[in-house]
Amino acid sequence: GYSKENGYFTVACCYTPVYYPGTGDLFTAVLTGFVLQNYTLQQAVFKAARFVEKCVQATFDAKTSPQLGVCLEPMLKFLMGENNIG
């Protein structure tokens, strides 16, 4: 990413060898939510990436069909409160 304040930045994440539809949309929605809560772009990207990473790994571990997308609902607790990601 790039922000005027911090310049270019990258966010590393763990790779899970599977494809789930909708993860880009999920990333964008979570990123937008954090930006609207006044997180910096770099913080928002980091938190959105961590959240999608958690969703993908949990779905992969549950061995559900990739065609169903990620298991989002059980992971929502990581977006707020003391379970907050990052």
Side-chain angles (χ1 to χ4, degrees), residues 34-50:
F34 281 121
V35 168
L36 291 175
Q37 292 181 47
N38 294 318
Y39 285 86
T40 67
L41 179 62
Q42 189 169 358
Q43 290 170 323
V45 168
F46 176 82
K47 288 178 169 287
R50 289 290 85 76

Side-chain angles (χ1 to χ4, degrees), residues 44-63:
V45 168
F46 176 82
K47 288 178 169 287
R50 289 290 85 76
F51 181 71
V52 173
E53 182 180 64
K54 280 184 169 292
C55 289
V56 167
Q57 189 60 55
T59 306
F60 184 75
D61 291 345
K63 297 181 181 10

